[in-house]
Amino acid sequence: MGAALAHALLKAKVSTVVWNRTRQRAEAQAAAGARIAPTAEAAVRDADLVLGVLRDGNVTRAVLEPIPEDAFRTSTIVNFATSTPHAARKEAGWAAERRMSWLSGAIMVPTPLVGQPDSLFLYSGERAPFDIHADVLKVLGGDARHVGTDHGLASLLDTGMLELFFAGMTGFLHATAMVTAQGLKATDFLPFAETMVDILPASLAGLARDVDAGTYPGTEDNLAMELAALGHIVDTSDDIGLDGRFPRVMRDLAAAAVDSGHGGHGWSRIIEQLRKPA
Ligand SMILES: NC(=O)c1ccc[n+]([C@@H]2O[C@H](COP(=O)([O-])OP(=O)(O)OC[C@H]3O[C@@H](n4cnc5c(N)ncnc54)[C@H](OP(=O)(O)O)[C@@H]3O)[C@@H](O)[C@H]2O)c1
């Protein structure tokens, strides 16, 4: 990811210095026009915007910790290492103690989409450094959004978006295991899967409206009906002999809500089930 960010900057003719503990990985960037810093400290001293793209927060801190505080006086650090919201706040607290200008970042695209005008990058922390560096940050991903001053927010939204993404992909794969076990190819199922994806935006908008209102009217759907449908998924999965844990999670959430007397409510009522510890 560090290489992808450096390439995007160089393509946009932004003066770029790179550092990697394995020097030959930085050399590819040098061939594209970057300067190689011999140490992380030299890189920090050479830049007014420092993009940390190390494995995780612990590595980032281990690399930055030995650098004298004065090296950071004129630069803003954007920490792109993926984190939890809690850890991102702790990392930002550590940076604040050292009087660093620090933004918590989250990259929401894979490497091939870095540098594209609609690629989403999230930033949280103080607004001023984001505004100062917005032009360069937009080179990395044109959809650069400052999501709030709480340093945990970029990571929180990243975490939520990833959950949605993996749940969707896992649902697709379980459904694909069912249909391919009965003679269809995954590509036969794909157009049918896509019709469900197409109705999701409207469904999510309805769920969000209900959750914020704290009411789960059940005028368009109801949990008792949905429980029966989810039971069919579990039964079909079991009949074929698949791992049915994924549909069971959904079936069991619906069953618990129905058992608590909410069979007439809509699917949005599941939020109350999820808000309790299992
Ligand atoms: N790749 C993506 O699509 C993507 C998307 C969004 C967010 N991210 C986040 O971006 C960060 C980097 O991801 P990546 O895909 O670039 O991972 P990666 O290819 O594994 O690179 C990790 C980097 O961290 C360095 N590193 C690891 N341990 C180190 C240590 N102890 N001291 C110094 N440097 C160390 C590695 O150096 P060496 O080269 O010497 O090993 C390398 O430069 C991660 O937090 C990831 O979650 C990645």
Side-chain angles (χ1 to χ4, degrees), residues 49-61 64 76-83 87-88 91-92 94-95 101-107 122-124 151 154-155:
L49 179 64
V50 178
L51 310 176
V53 207
L54 298 169
R55 175 145 306 149
D56 57 33
N58 291 335
V59 168
T60 305
R61 196 162 154 169
L64 296 181
T76 289
I77 319 288
V78 183
N79 182 23
F80 279 127
T82 304
S83 196
E91 285 153 14
W94 169 82
S101 168
W102 184 269
L103 283 171
S104 303
I107 301 171
L122 306 178
Y123 301 90
S124 54
H151 275 276
S155 165

PDB file of all heavy atoms in Angstrom, residues 49-61 64 76-83 87-88 91-92 94-95 101-107 122-124 151 154-155:
ATOM      1  N   LEU A  49       4.356  16.401   5.225  1.00  0.00           N
ATOM      2  CA  LEU A  49       3.238  15.463   5.389  1.00  0.00           C
ATOM      3  C   LEU A  49       3.822  14.057   5.376  1.00  0.00           C
ATOM      4  O   LEU A  49       4.458  13.652   4.394  1.00  0.00           O
ATOM      5  CB  LEU A  49       2.233  15.630   4.238  1.00  0.00           C
ATOM      6  CG  LEU A  49       1.016  14.699   4.255  1.00  0.00           C
ATOM      7  CD1 LEU A  49       0.138  14.956   5.478  1.00  0.00           C
ATOM      8  CD2 LEU A  49       0.189  14.880   2.985  1.00  0.00           C
ATOM      9  N   VAL A  50       3.638  13.325   6.474  1.00  0.00           N
ATOM     10  CA  VAL A  50       4.217  11.987   6.601  1.00  0.00           C
ATOM     11  C   VAL A  50       3.079  10.968   6.572  1.00  0.00           C
ATOM     12  O   VAL A  50       2.149  11.052   7.374  1.00  0.00           O
ATOM     13  CB  VAL A  50       4.997  11.851   7.935  1.00  0.00           C
ATOM     14  CG1 VAL A  50       5.560  10.434   8.085  1.00  0.00           C
ATOM     15  CG2 VAL A  50       6.103  12.889   8.010  1.00  0.00           C
ATOM     16  N   LEU A  51       3.127  10.025   5.640  1.00  0.00           N
ATOM     17  CA  LEU A  51       2.088   8.999   5.535  1.00  0.00           C
ATOM     18  C   LEU A  51       2.644   7.697   6.109  1.00  0.00           C
ATOM     19  O   LEU A  51       3.550   7.106   5.519  1.00  0.00           O
ATOM     20  CB  LEU A  51       1.670   8.815   4.072  1.00  0.00           C
ATOM     21  CG  LEU A  51       1.322  10.100   3.302  1.00  0.00           C
ATOM     22  CD1 LEU A  51       1.016   9.777   1.843  1.00  0.00           C
ATOM     23  CD2 LEU A  51       0.142  10.822   3.958  1.00  0.00           C
ATOM     24  N   GLY A  52       2.138   7.284   7.245  1.00  0.00           N
ATOM     25  CA  GLY A  52       2.579   6.026   7.866  1.00  0.00           C
ATOM     26  C   GLY A  52       1.727   4.891   7.321  1.00  0.00           C
ATOM     27  O   GLY A  52       0.510   4.886   7.502  1.00  0.00           O
ATOM     28  N   VAL A  53       2.383   3.938   6.633  1.00  0.00           N
ATOM     29  CA  VAL A  53       1.624   2.819   6.037  1.00  0.00           C
ATOM     30  C   VAL A  53       2.283   1.524   6.474  1.00  0.00           C
ATOM     31  O   VAL A  53       2.584   0.648   5.663  1.00  0.00           O
ATOM     32  CB  VAL A  53       1.601   2.896   4.487  1.00  0.00           C
ATOM     33  CG1 VAL A  53       0.346   2.202   3.963  1.00  0.00           C
ATOM     34  CG2 VAL A  53       1.670   4.314   3.992  1.00  0.00           C
ATOM     35  N   LEU A  54       2.522   1.437   7.771  1.00  0.00           N
ATOM     36  CA  LEU A  54       3.190   0.254   8.307  1.00  0.00           C
ATOM     37  C   LEU A  54       2.155  -0.781   8.724  1.00  0.00           C
ATOM     38  O   LEU A  54       0.952  -0.526   8.678  1.00  0.00           O
ATOM     39  CB  LEU A  54       4.086   0.671   9.473  1.00  0.00           C
ATOM     40  CG  LEU A  54       5.190   1.645   9.028  1.00  0.00           C
ATOM     41  CD1 LEU A  54       5.894   2.263  10.218  1.00  0.00           C
ATOM     42  CD2 LEU A  54       6.184   0.959   8.102  1.00  0.00           C
ATOM     43  N   ARG A  55       2.643  -1.947   9.122  1.00  0.00           N
ATOM     44  CA  ARG A  55       1.734  -3.081   9.308  1.00  0.00           C
ATOM     45  C   ARG A  55       0.595  -2.781  10.270  1.00  0.00           C
ATOM     46  O   ARG A  55      -0.553  -3.084  10.003  1.00  0.00           O
ATOM     47  CB  ARG A  55       2.521  -4.306   9.789  1.00  0.00           C
ATOM     48  CG  ARG A  55       1.618  -5.478  10.128  1.00  0.00           C
ATOM     49  CD  ARG A  55       2.225  -6.786   9.791  1.00  0.00           C
ATOM     50  NE  ARG A  55       2.660  -6.846   8.416  1.00  0.00           N
ATOM     51  CZ  ARG A  55       3.702  -7.565   7.987  1.00  0.00           C
ATOM     52  NH1 ARG A  55       4.389  -8.269   8.842  1.00  0.00           N
ATOM     53  NH2 ARG A  55       4.047  -7.568   6.711  1.00  0.00           N
ATOM     54  N   ASP A  56       0.923  -2.207  11.433  1.00  0.00           N
ATOM     55  CA  ASP A  56      -0.129  -1.895  12.407  1.00  0.00           C
ATOM     56  C   ASP A  56       0.345  -0.774  13.330  1.00  0.00           C
ATOM     57  O   ASP A  56       1.455  -0.245  13.167  1.00  0.00           O
ATOM     58  CB  ASP A  56      -0.531  -3.149  13.210  1.00  0.00           C
ATOM     59  CG  ASP A  56       0.653  -3.784  13.927  1.00  0.00           C
ATOM     60  OD1 ASP A  56       1.565  -3.044  14.351  1.00  0.00           O
ATOM     61  OD2 ASP A  56       0.677  -5.022  14.079  1.00  0.00           O
ATOM     62  N   GLY A  57      -0.493  -0.446  14.295  1.00  0.00           N
ATOM     63  CA  GLY A  57      -0.188   0.668  15.186  1.00  0.00           C
ATOM     64  C   GLY A  57       1.057   0.433  16.018  1.00  0.00           C
ATOM     65  O   GLY A  57       1.826   1.371  16.272  1.00  0.00           O
ATOM     66  N   ASN A  58       1.280  -0.813  16.436  1.00  0.00           N
ATOM     67  CA  ASN A  58       2.459  -1.092  17.264  1.00  0.00           C
ATOM     68  C   ASN A  58       3.740  -0.862  16.485  1.00  0.00           C
ATOM     69  O   ASN A  58       4.716  -0.298  17.008  1.00  0.00           O
ATOM     70  CB  ASN A  58       2.434  -2.542  17.775  1.00  0.00           C
ATOM     71  CG  ASN A  58       1.334  -2.753  18.786  1.00  0.00           C
ATOM     72  OD1 ASN A  58       0.902  -1.803  19.441  1.00  0.00           O
ATOM     73  ND2 ASN A  58       0.851  -3.983  18.897  1.00  0.00           N
ATOM     74  N   VAL A  59       3.745  -1.299  15.232  1.00  0.00           N
ATOM     75  CA  VAL A  59       4.932  -1.098  14.390  1.00  0.00           C
ATOM     76  C   VAL A  59       5.136   0.405  14.163  1.00  0.00           C
ATOM     77  O   VAL A  59       6.263   0.911  14.261  1.00  0.00           O
ATOM     78  CB  VAL A  59       4.774  -1.851  13.046  1.00  0.00           C
ATOM     79  CG1 VAL A  59       5.846  -1.416  12.057  1.00  0.00           C
ATOM     80  CG2 VAL A  59       4.844  -3.361  13.260  1.00  0.00           C
ATOM     81  N   THR A  60       4.042   1.114  13.891  1.00  0.00           N
ATOM     82  CA  THR A  60       4.144   2.557  13.633  1.00  0.00           C
ATOM     83  C   THR A  60       4.768   3.261  14.842  1.00  0.00           C
ATOM     84  O   THR A  60       5.684   4.076  14.719  1.00  0.00           O
ATOM     85  CB  THR A  60       2.736   3.133  13.356  1.00  0.00           C
ATOM     86  OG1 THR A  60       2.158   2.383  12.292  1.00  0.00           O
ATOM     87  CG2 THR A  60       2.796   4.603  12.980  1.00  0.00           C
ATOM     88  N   ARG A  61       4.282   2.891  16.016  1.00  0.00           N
ATOM     89  CA  ARG A  61       4.792   3.524  17.224  1.00  0.00           C
ATOM     90  C   ARG A  61       6.262   3.161  17.461  1.00  0.00           C
ATOM     91  O   ARG A  61       7.070   4.027  17.821  1.00  0.00           O
ATOM     92  CB  ARG A  61       3.935   3.057  18.408  1.00  0.00           C
ATOM     93  CG  ARG A  61       4.107   3.900  19.614  1.00  0.00           C
ATOM     94  CD  ARG A  61       2.946   3.665  20.526  1.00  0.00           C
ATOM     95  NE  ARG A  61       3.325   3.950  21.889  1.00  0.00           N
ATOM     96  CZ  ARG A  61       2.461   4.030  22.873  1.00  0.00           C
ATOM     97  NH1 ARG A  61       1.200   3.835  22.655  1.00  0.00           N
ATOM     98  NH2 ARG A  61       2.867   4.303  24.085  1.00  0.00           N
ATOM     99  N   LEU A  64       8.318   5.295  15.171  1.00  0.00           N
ATOM    100  CA  LEU A  64       8.327   6.740  15.462  1.00  0.00           C
ATOM    101  C   LEU A  64       8.918   7.073  16.843  1.00  0.00           C
ATOM    102  O   LEU A  64       9.479   8.143  17.035  1.00  0.00           O
ATOM    103  CB  LEU A  64       6.900   7.312  15.373  1.00  0.00           C
ATOM    104  CG  LEU A  64       6.228   7.249  13.990  1.00  0.00           C
ATOM    105  CD1 LEU A  64       4.837   7.867  14.051  1.00  0.00           C
ATOM    106  CD2 LEU A  64       7.082   7.954  12.932  1.00  0.00           C
ATOM    107  N   THR A  76       2.866  16.985   9.583  1.00  0.00           N
ATOM    108  CA  THR A  76       1.662  16.277  10.032  1.00  0.00           C
ATOM    109  C   THR A  76       1.840  14.813   9.676  1.00  0.00           C
ATOM    110  O   THR A  76       2.281  14.477   8.576  1.00  0.00           O
ATOM    111  CB  THR A  76       0.411  16.837   9.320  1.00  0.00           C
ATOM    112  OG1 THR A  76       0.148  18.136   9.822  1.00  0.00           O
ATOM    113  CG2 THR A  76      -0.807  15.960   9.555  1.00  0.00           C
ATOM    114  N   ILE A  77       1.516  13.940  10.637  1.00  0.00           N
ATOM    115  CA  ILE A  77       1.604  12.497  10.399  1.00  0.00           C
ATOM    116  C   ILE A  77       0.189  11.984  10.123  1.00  0.00           C
ATOM    117  O   ILE A  77      -0.735  12.260  10.901  1.00  0.00           O
ATOM    118  CB  ILE A  77       2.101  11.722  11.645  1.00  0.00           C
ATOM    119  CG1 ILE A  77       3.229  12.455  12.363  1.00  0.00           C
ATOM    120  CG2 ILE A  77       2.448  10.284  11.321  1.00  0.00           C
ATOM    121  CD1 ILE A  77       4.521  12.462  11.665  1.00  0.00           C
ATOM    122  N   VAL A  78       0.011  11.240   9.061  1.00  0.00           N
ATOM    123  CA  VAL A  78      -1.251  10.524   8.840  1.00  0.00           C
ATOM    124  C   VAL A  78      -0.965   9.050   9.060  1.00  0.00           C
ATOM    125  O   VAL A  78      -0.135   8.459   8.361  1.00  0.00           O
ATOM    126  CB  VAL A  78      -1.802  10.723   7.412  1.00  0.00           C
ATOM    127  CG1 VAL A  78      -3.144  10.010   7.274  1.00  0.00           C
ATOM    128  CG2 VAL A  78      -1.944  12.195   7.072  1.00  0.00           C
ATOM    129  N   ASN A  79      -1.628   8.477  10.047  1.00  0.00           N
ATOM    130  CA  ASN A  79      -1.397   7.063  10.329  1.00  0.00           C
ATOM    131  C   ASN A  79      -2.438   6.236   9.586  1.00  0.00           C
ATOM    132  O   ASN A  79      -3.602   6.193   9.966  1.00  0.00           O
ATOM    133  CB  ASN A  79      -1.493   6.809  11.835  1.00  0.00           C
ATOM    134  CG  ASN A  79      -1.214   5.354  12.153  1.00  0.00           C
ATOM    135  OD1 ASN A  79      -0.561   4.660  11.373  1.00  0.00           O
ATOM    136  ND2 ASN A  79      -1.713   4.889  13.283  1.00  0.00           N
ATOM    137  N   PHE A  80      -1.992   5.550   8.532  1.00  0.00           N
ATOM    138  CA  PHE A  80      -2.908   4.741   7.731  1.00  0.00           C
ATOM    139  C   PHE A  80      -2.940   3.275   8.173  1.00  0.00           C
ATOM    140  O   PHE A  80      -3.655   2.475   7.569  1.00  0.00           O
ATOM    141  CB  PHE A  80      -2.495   4.788   6.251  1.00  0.00           C
ATOM    142  CG  PHE A  80      -2.959   6.023   5.526  1.00  0.00           C
ATOM    143  CD1 PHE A  80      -2.063   6.802   4.820  1.00  0.00           C
ATOM    144  CD2 PHE A  80      -4.301   6.396   5.528  1.00  0.00           C
ATOM    145  CE1 PHE A  80      -2.482   7.928   4.125  1.00  0.00           C
ATOM    146  CE2 PHE A  80      -4.729   7.523   4.839  1.00  0.00           C
ATOM    147  CZ  PHE A  80      -3.820   8.289   4.135  1.00  0.00           C
ATOM    148  N   ALA A  81      -2.135   2.907   9.184  1.00  0.00           N
ATOM    149  CA  ALA A  81      -2.162   1.505   9.617  1.00  0.00           C
ATOM    150  C   ALA A  81      -3.562   1.193  10.167  1.00  0.00           C
ATOM    151  O   ALA A  81      -4.089   1.929  10.996  1.00  0.00           O
ATOM    152  CB  ALA A  81      -1.110   1.259  10.684  1.00  0.00           C
ATOM    153  N   THR A  82      -4.138   0.110   9.720  1.00  0.00           N
ATOM    154  CA  THR A  82      -5.489  -0.259  10.156  1.00  0.00           C
ATOM    155  C   THR A  82      -5.496  -0.520  11.658  1.00  0.00           C
ATOM    156  O   THR A  82      -4.558  -1.108  12.207  1.00  0.00           O
ATOM    157  CB  THR A  82      -5.955  -1.505   9.376  1.00  0.00           C
ATOM    158  OG1 THR A  82      -5.876  -1.209   7.999  1.00  0.00           O
ATOM    159  CG2 THR A  82      -7.386  -1.858   9.725  1.00  0.00           C
ATOM    160  N   SER A  83      -6.565  -0.064  12.303  1.00  0.00           N
ATOM    161  CA  SER A  83      -6.606  -0.086  13.755  1.00  0.00           C
ATOM    162  C   SER A  83      -8.035  -0.361  14.234  1.00  0.00           C
ATOM    163  O   SER A  83      -8.956  -0.439  13.427  1.00  0.00           O
ATOM    164  CB  SER A  83      -6.170   1.313  14.219  1.00  0.00           C
ATOM    165  OG  SER A  83      -5.819   1.316  15.551  1.00  0.00           O
ATOM    166  N   ALA A  87      -7.884   1.649  19.768  1.00  0.00           N
ATOM    167  CA  ALA A  87      -6.430   1.752  19.569  1.00  0.00           C
ATOM    168  C   ALA A  87      -6.081   3.056  18.855  1.00  0.00           C
ATOM    169  O   ALA A  87      -5.065   3.688  19.165  1.00  0.00           O
ATOM    170  CB  ALA A  87      -5.923   0.546  18.776  1.00  0.00           C
ATOM    171  N   ALA A  88      -6.922   3.466  17.904  1.00  0.00           N
ATOM    172  CA  ALA A  88      -6.644   4.724  17.170  1.00  0.00           C
ATOM    173  C   ALA A  88      -6.655   5.906  18.140  1.00  0.00           C
ATOM    174  O   ALA A  88      -5.817   6.813  18.036  1.00  0.00           O
ATOM    175  CB  ALA A  88      -7.683   4.929  16.068  1.00  0.00           C
ATOM    176  N   GLU A  91      -3.431   5.711  20.143  1.00  0.00           N
ATOM    177  CA  GLU A  91      -2.271   6.134  19.340  1.00  0.00           C
ATOM    178  C   GLU A  91      -2.258   7.667  19.209  1.00  0.00           C
ATOM    179  O   GLU A  91      -1.205   8.299  19.316  1.00  0.00           O
ATOM    180  CB  GLU A  91      -2.338   5.503  17.940  1.00  0.00           C
ATOM    181  CG  GLU A  91      -1.970   4.032  17.937  1.00  0.00           C
ATOM    182  CD  GLU A  91      -2.624   3.236  16.808  1.00  0.00           C
ATOM    183  OE1 GLU A  91      -3.164   3.850  15.859  1.00  0.00           O
ATOM    184  OE2 GLU A  91      -2.615   1.999  16.902  1.00  0.00           O
ATOM    185  N   ALA A  92      -3.441   8.242  19.003  1.00  0.00           N
ATOM    186  CA  ALA A  92      -3.529   9.708  18.858  1.00  0.00           C
ATOM    187  C   ALA A  92      -3.165  10.385  20.180  1.00  0.00           C
ATOM    188  O   ALA A  92      -2.532  11.451  20.190  1.00  0.00           O
ATOM    189  CB  ALA A  92      -4.923  10.100  18.406  1.00  0.00           C
ATOM    190  N   TRP A  94      -1.064   9.214  22.399  1.00  0.00           N
ATOM    191  CA  TRP A  94       0.395   9.110  22.487  1.00  0.00           C
ATOM    192  C   TRP A  94       1.045  10.198  21.633  1.00  0.00           C
ATOM    193  O   TRP A  94       1.979  10.872  22.069  1.00  0.00           O
ATOM    194  CB  TRP A  94       0.817   7.712  22.015  1.00  0.00           C
ATOM    195  CG  TRP A  94       2.286   7.545  21.797  1.00  0.00           C
ATOM    196  CD1 TRP A  94       3.229   7.287  22.743  1.00  0.00           C
ATOM    197  CD2 TRP A  94       2.971   7.614  20.539  1.00  0.00           C
ATOM    198  NE1 TRP A  94       4.464   7.198  22.156  1.00  0.00           N
ATOM    199  CE2 TRP A  94       4.343   7.397  20.803  1.00  0.00           C
ATOM    200  CE3 TRP A  94       2.566   7.844  19.224  1.00  0.00           C
ATOM    201  CZ2 TRP A  94       5.308   7.406  19.808  1.00  0.00           C
ATOM    202  CZ3 TRP A  94       3.520   7.850  18.229  1.00  0.00           C
ATOM    203  CH2 TRP A  94       4.878   7.632  18.525  1.00  0.00           C
ATOM    204  N   ALA A  95       0.503  10.409  20.422  1.00  0.00           N
ATOM    205  CA  ALA A  95       1.065  11.431  19.532  1.00  0.00           C
ATOM    206  C   ALA A  95       0.869  12.830  20.131  1.00  0.00           C
ATOM    207  O   ALA A  95       1.758  13.689  20.032  1.00  0.00           O
ATOM    208  CB  ALA A  95       0.397  11.341  18.157  1.00  0.00           C
ATOM    209  N   SER A 101       1.397  16.703  15.191  1.00  0.00           N
ATOM    210  CA  SER A 101       0.165  16.938  14.447  1.00  0.00           C
ATOM    211  C   SER A 101      -0.188  15.591  13.806  1.00  0.00           C
ATOM    212  O   SER A 101       0.586  15.068  13.005  1.00  0.00           O
ATOM    213  CB  SER A 101       0.419  18.008  13.384  1.00  0.00           C
ATOM    214  OG  SER A 101      -0.659  18.057  12.496  1.00  0.00           O
ATOM    215  N   TRP A 102      -1.345  15.030  14.167  1.00  0.00           N
ATOM    216  CA  TRP A 102      -1.627  13.608  13.865  1.00  0.00           C
ATOM    217  C   TRP A 102      -3.023  13.457  13.289  1.00  0.00           C
ATOM    218  O   TRP A 102      -3.992  13.982  13.847  1.00  0.00           O
ATOM    219  CB  TRP A 102      -1.533  12.839  15.186  1.00  0.00           C
ATOM    220  CG  TRP A 102      -1.687  11.358  15.156  1.00  0.00           C
ATOM    221  CD1 TRP A 102      -2.846  10.655  15.303  1.00  0.00           C
ATOM    222  CD2 TRP A 102      -0.644  10.381  15.022  1.00  0.00           C
ATOM    223  NE1 TRP A 102      -2.587   9.306  15.268  1.00  0.00           N
ATOM    224  CE2 TRP A 102      -1.237   9.108  15.102  1.00  0.00           C
ATOM    225  CE3 TRP A 102       0.738  10.460  14.850  1.00  0.00           C
ATOM    226  CZ2 TRP A 102      -0.514   7.925  15.013  1.00  0.00           C
ATOM    227  CZ3 TRP A 102       1.468   9.279  14.761  1.00  0.00           C
ATOM    228  CH2 TRP A 102       0.854   8.034  14.838  1.00  0.00           C
ATOM    229  N   LEU A 103      -3.131  12.781  12.188  1.00  0.00           N
ATOM    230  CA  LEU A 103      -4.450  12.417  11.646  1.00  0.00           C
ATOM    231  C   LEU A 103      -4.557  10.896  11.615  1.00  0.00           C
ATOM    232  O   LEU A 103      -3.578  10.209  11.291  1.00  0.00           O
ATOM    233  CB  LEU A 103      -4.619  12.952  10.225  1.00  0.00           C
ATOM    234  CG  LEU A 103      -4.933  14.443  10.062  1.00  0.00           C
ATOM    235  CD1 LEU A 103      -4.836  14.836   8.582  1.00  0.00           C
ATOM    236  CD2 LEU A 103      -6.322  14.778  10.605  1.00  0.00           C
ATOM    237  N   SER A 104      -5.724  10.393  11.959  1.00  0.00           N
ATOM    238  CA  SER A 104      -5.964   8.954  11.872  1.00  0.00           C
ATOM    239  C   SER A 104      -6.651   8.688  10.544  1.00  0.00           C
ATOM    240  O   SER A 104      -7.723   9.250  10.283  1.00  0.00           O
ATOM    241  CB  SER A 104      -6.853   8.503  13.034  1.00  0.00           C
ATOM    242  OG  SER A 104      -6.241   8.861  14.254  1.00  0.00           O
ATOM    243  N   GLY A 105      -6.036   7.866   9.710  1.00  0.00           N
ATOM    244  CA  GLY A 105      -6.584   7.640   8.372  1.00  0.00           C
ATOM    245  C   GLY A 105      -7.066   6.217   8.180  1.00  0.00           C
ATOM    246  O   GLY A 105      -6.645   5.298   8.883  1.00  0.00           O
ATOM    247  N   ALA A 106      -7.969   6.043   7.235  1.00  0.00           N
ATOM    248  CA  ALA A 106      -8.415   4.696   6.849  1.00  0.00           C
ATOM    249  C   ALA A 106      -8.550   4.677   5.327  1.00  0.00           C
ATOM    250  O   ALA A 106      -9.243   5.518   4.751  1.00  0.00           O
ATOM    251  CB  ALA A 106      -9.744   4.351   7.515  1.00  0.00           C
ATOM    252  N   ILE A 107      -7.879   3.718   4.724  1.00  0.00           N
ATOM    253  CA  ILE A 107      -7.890   3.595   3.259  1.00  0.00           C
ATOM    254  C   ILE A 107      -8.987   2.600   2.897  1.00  0.00           C
ATOM    255  O   ILE A 107      -8.925   1.431   3.287  1.00  0.00           O
ATOM    256  CB  ILE A 107      -6.519   3.087   2.763  1.00  0.00           C
ATOM    257  CG1 ILE A 107      -5.409   4.050   3.203  1.00  0.00           C
ATOM    258  CG2 ILE A 107      -6.532   2.919   1.246  1.00  0.00           C
ATOM    259  CD1 ILE A 107      -3.995   3.529   2.961  1.00  0.00           C
ATOM    260  N   LEU A 122     -10.699   7.946   4.514  1.00  0.00           N
ATOM    261  CA  LEU A 122     -11.300   8.610   5.671  1.00  0.00           C
ATOM    262  C   LEU A 122     -10.204   9.172   6.570  1.00  0.00           C
ATOM    263  O   LEU A 122      -9.141   8.551   6.734  1.00  0.00           O
ATOM    264  CB  LEU A 122     -12.141   7.613   6.477  1.00  0.00           C
ATOM    265  CG  LEU A 122     -13.223   6.848   5.711  1.00  0.00           C
ATOM    266  CD1 LEU A 122     -13.920   5.861   6.642  1.00  0.00           C
ATOM    267  CD2 LEU A 122     -14.240   7.806   5.102  1.00  0.00           C
ATOM    268  N   TYR A 123     -10.509  10.316   7.175  1.00  0.00           N
ATOM    269  CA  TYR A 123      -9.560  10.956   8.095  1.00  0.00           C
ATOM    270  C   TYR A 123     -10.313  11.430   9.315  1.00  0.00           C
ATOM    271  O   TYR A 123     -11.415  11.989   9.198  1.00  0.00           O
ATOM    272  CB  TYR A 123      -8.892  12.170   7.414  1.00  0.00           C
ATOM    273  CG  TYR A 123      -8.151  11.795   6.153  1.00  0.00           C
ATOM    274  CD1 TYR A 123      -8.792  11.811   4.918  1.00  0.00           C
ATOM    275  CD2 TYR A 123      -6.812  11.395   6.210  1.00  0.00           C
ATOM    276  CE1 TYR A 123      -8.116  11.442   3.761  1.00  0.00           C
ATOM    277  CE2 TYR A 123      -6.131  11.032   5.050  1.00  0.00           C
ATOM    278  CZ  TYR A 123      -6.793  11.057   3.829  1.00  0.00           C
ATOM    279  OH  TYR A 123      -6.122  10.687   2.691  1.00  0.00           O
ATOM    280  N   SER A 124      -9.720  11.232  10.501  1.00  0.00           N
ATOM    281  CA  SER A 124     -10.305  11.827  11.700  1.00  0.00           C
ATOM    282  C   SER A 124      -9.203  12.424  12.556  1.00  0.00           C
ATOM    283  O   SER A 124      -8.023  12.082  12.419  1.00  0.00           O
ATOM    284  CB  SER A 124     -11.157  10.813  12.468  1.00  0.00           C
ATOM    285  OG  SER A 124     -10.435   9.642  12.755  1.00  0.00           O
ATOM    286  N   HIS A 151     -10.585  10.819  17.083  1.00  0.00           N
ATOM    287  CA  HIS A 151      -9.622  10.026  16.303  1.00  0.00           C
ATOM    288  C   HIS A 151     -10.105   8.603  16.008  1.00  0.00           C
ATOM    289  O   HIS A 151      -9.602   7.957  15.105  1.00  0.00           O
ATOM    290  CB  HIS A 151      -8.278   9.965  17.036  1.00  0.00           C
ATOM    291  CG  HIS A 151      -7.414  11.150  16.735  1.00  0.00           C
ATOM    292  ND1 HIS A 151      -6.621  11.217  15.630  1.00  0.00           N
ATOM    293  CD2 HIS A 151      -7.265  12.319  17.388  1.00  0.00           C
ATOM    294  CE1 HIS A 151      -5.988  12.367  15.604  1.00  0.00           C
ATOM    295  NE2 HIS A 151      -6.368  13.066  16.658  1.00  0.00           N
ATOM    296  N   ALA A 154     -12.469   7.394  11.975  1.00  0.00           N
ATOM    297  CA  ALA A 154     -12.069   6.804  10.688  1.00  0.00           C
ATOM    298  C   ALA A 154     -12.041   5.279  10.822  1.00  0.00           C
ATOM    299  O   ALA A 154     -12.573   4.547   9.979  1.00  0.00           O
ATOM    300  CB  ALA A 154     -10.708   7.336  10.247  1.00  0.00           C
ATOM    301  N   SER A 155     -11.462   4.815  11.928  1.00  0.00           N
ATOM    302  CA  SER A 155     -11.375   3.375  12.155  1.00  0.00           C
ATOM    303  C   SER A 155     -12.761   2.756  12.401  1.00  0.00           C
ATOM    304  O   SER A 155     -13.054   1.647  11.939  1.00  0.00           O
ATOM    305  CB  SER A 155     -10.449   3.126  13.335  1.00  0.00           C
ATOM    306  OG  SER A 155     -10.596   1.828  13.790  1.00  0.00           O
TER     307      SER A 155
END
